[in-house]
Amino acid sequence: MNAAMLNTAVRAARNAGNLIKRYVDRTDLLKVSQKQPNDFVTEVDKLSEQEIIGTLSEAYPDHAFYAEESGQHNTGDEDRPMWIIDPLDGTTNFIHGIPQFAISIGMQAAGHLQVGVIYDPVHDELFTATRGDGAKLNNRRLRINPDTRLQGSLIATGFPYYQYHYLDHYLAILREVITKTSGVRRPGSAALDLAYTAAGRFDGFWEFNLQAWDIAAGTLLIQEAGGIVTDTDGGHDYLKTGNMLCGPPRVHQELLDIIRTVT
Ligand code: 2AM
Ligand code: CA
């Protein structure tokens, strides 16, 4: 069941990726609108989402969908499997011609994330996870190194970009992380940051105020690769709060200690 859903999600992500790639060199021609200050959307986000929901709903007409651009469909019945979709994560990068963006498709059923797909169409990197069956990058199995520590690590994050009331708190954490690691990156696509953390390219990630569609697929990837995912106070409400902290077990604990000390 999960294997079939993964195949369908991969097909949806690749179709959408091919569509997005056709616009990569033509972003100056795109109509860009703002959903709220600094939150941009293009026609490509919408086309990508139609493509993904079209593919998934053809295979699973009874499932529910929760997607960035069109909201919820078929929801209401809590028992229904739900696809959580970001058709283009990293829209700001995309608009600026920076090749750091991805499609993120997660599926939740019976109270658990079951399937996760993150696809970077520019680099043709496909990150996949199935609950209980591990995580992969282009069919190579991903295993987070459990010995990784904060010292010497490379950590990814996202800066606050529209709600600035917690900026000082954020910067106090960033200051600590900068001084205790090898470096910090702010690539601009939370979904890819999570995929890279599952792949061991980053040794951890934190960001406040994300949306469920940014993190659903990435959460399963990290868990299946052997990492820890919590919200920023160590709890399990990250899909609701959008405050996310993850990484190899020791790094996760050390980052959690920093956030607690600063708070
Ligand atoms: P999006 O491109 O799908 O909107 C990283 O901070 C996350 O926040 C990204 O995954 C991105 O998802 C979202 N985001 C929205 N607007 C942003 C902005 N102006 N700058 C950075 N990230 C933004
Ligand atoms: Ca997003």
Side-chain angles (χ1 to χ4, degrees):
M1 176 66 175
N2 280 357
M5 290 199 297
L6 180 68
N7 283 339
T8 310
V10 166
R11 189 153 45 84
R14 284 196 184 278
N15 290 346
N18 289 335
L19 187 156
I20 292 171
K21 258 198 340 201
R22 292 207 292 274
Y23 292 88
V24 164
D25 297 326
R26 295 190 285 156
T27 46
D28 51 327
L29 302 176
L30 289 176
K31 201 161 87 263
V32 180
S33 28
Q34 274 196 58
K35 291 186 277 185
Q36 54 181 332
N38 284 342
D39 192 356
F40 301 102
V41 61
T42 70
E43 301 129 85
V44 183
D45 299 58
K46 293 175 190 162
L47 288 171
S48 172
E49 185 162 306
Q50 282 166 16
E51 176 70 42
I52 295 166
I53 295 183
T55 304
L56 293 174
S57 60
E58 199 176 278
Y60 300 106
D62 299 335
H63 286 190
F65 295 90
Y66 182 47
E68 172 154 20
E69 309 308 339
S70 59
Q72 312 201 6
H73 317 254
N74 256 355
T75 49
D77 174 358
E78 299 242 319
D79 294 334
R80 242 179 238 267
M82 182 157 78
W83 295 90
I84 307 172
I85 300 158
D86 192 333
L88 209 181
D89 185 56
T91 300
T92 304
N93 282 342
F94 175 72
I95 293 167
H96 285 257
I98 298 168
Q100 183 73 11
F101 49 80
I103 293 139
S104 177
I105 303 176
M107 125 73 60
Q108 195 172 35
H112 293 284
L113 292 162
Q114 305 287 346
V115 163
V117 173
I118 295 175
Y119 182 52
D120 169 351
V122 175
H123 304 101
D124 193 25
E125 288 196 314
L126 180 72
F127 301 85
T128 56
T130 313
R131 181 175 152 79
D133 198 34
K136 290 178 179 168
L137 163 53
N138 290 345
N139 286 325
R140 184 169 56 81
R141 193 163 285 282
L142 299 177
R143 210 51 232 155
I144 283 178
N145 180 355
D147 299 326
T148 312
R149 291 169 175 270
L150 195 61
Q151 193 187 8
S153 69
L154 184 64
I155 303 298
T157 186
F159 303 146
Y161 60 86
Y162 70 106
Q163 288 182 336
Y164 300 121
H165 60 272
Y166 63 96
L167 186 56
D168 286 341
H169 175 233
Y170 175 83
L171 290 173
I173 296 166
L174 179 61
R175 184 189 177 86
E176 286 299 303
V177 177
I178 285 173
T179 57
K180 292 192 163 85
T181 59
S182 282
V184 179
R185 298 288 182 268
R186 197 279 188 242
S189 159
L192 271 189
D193 294 345
L194 298 175
Y196 280 27
T197 303
R201 294 172 179 176
F202 293 135
D203 302 308
F205 168 83
W206 93 98
E207 181 165 348
F208 297 102
N209 256 324
L210 290 164
Q211 302 289 337
W213 48 71
D214 301 318
I215 56 182
T219 294
L220 187 64
L221 270 156
I222 290 179
Q223 290 170 336
E224 287 295 326
I228 307 290
V229 181
T230 66
D231 58 29
T232 44
D233 34 83
H236 293 283
D237 280 338
Y238 42 89
L239 281 182
K240 288 201 188 84
T241 65
N243 301 330
M244 185 167 195
L245 170 64
C246 60
R250 290 173 185 209
V251 176
H252 174 271
Q253 185 59 52
E254 289 178 271
L255 287 172
L256 186 57
D257 291 342
I258 289 176
I259 294 173
R260 283 186 171 144
T261 311
V262 168
T263 301

